[in-house]
Amino acid sequence: MADPALATRLAYVATGDAPLDETQRMGLLGLSDFINRRSAAALADPAAVVPGSDDLSLFPLLYWVVTAEAPQPDGQTVAALNAFMRNGGIILFDTRDEGSGKASPRAPGPRSAG
């Protein structure tokens, strides 16, 4: 990857699971393409990052798939994430409905008067 400071790009947290990381990358690549076609933005290809190791301040949005196997973030990771959000960064956590026992309920549809 070229110097991340030279281009605006979305980022995702690397999980170490190659198929999952590729799915995240492709999803953000599609989102970046959509944004590029519909706005004046010029987003480069998404980047994989490791919070606490990589400089998150270079990214406006961080997508994070939280798996059941993922370890709890350590203090350095938590500090990096807090600084990222305090400075305007957005984190989208995808829990994949873990812990709920079922998919999220749908909002009720419109009711007819009568």
Side-chain angles (χ1 to χ4, degrees):
M1 174 176 70
D3 184 353
L6 299 178
T8 302
R9 62 185 76 234
L10 306 179
Y12 60 94
V13 173
T15 65
D17 177 332
L20 179 56
D21 288 347
E22 180 62 8
T23 299
Q24 293 184 89
R25 188 185 76 74
M26 292 302 294
L28 289 182
L29 189 61
L31 178 59
S32 296
D33 182 54
F34 179 82
I35 291 169
N36 289 339
R37 285 185 285 117
R38 300 281 185 147
S39 73
L43 298 177
D45 287 354
V49 296
V50 177
S53 295
D54 294 318
D55 184 358
L56 302 180
S57 69
L58 302 172
F59 308 99
L61 176 98
L62 179 62
Y63 179 75
W64 191 341
V65 173
V66 180
T67 63
E69 302 81 30
Q72 287 285 76
D74 62 20
Q76 184 176 353
T77 300
V78 170
L81 295 170
N82 283 335
F84 176 70
M85 290 186 296
R86 196 172 27 256
N87 290 307
I90 300 169
I91 303 175
L92 175 61
F93 291 99
D94 181 352
T95 62
R96 308 177 93 192
D97 291 323
E98 286 294 323
S100 69
K102 61 182 178 179
S104 300
R106 294 183 63 193
R111 297 179 187 250
S112 60

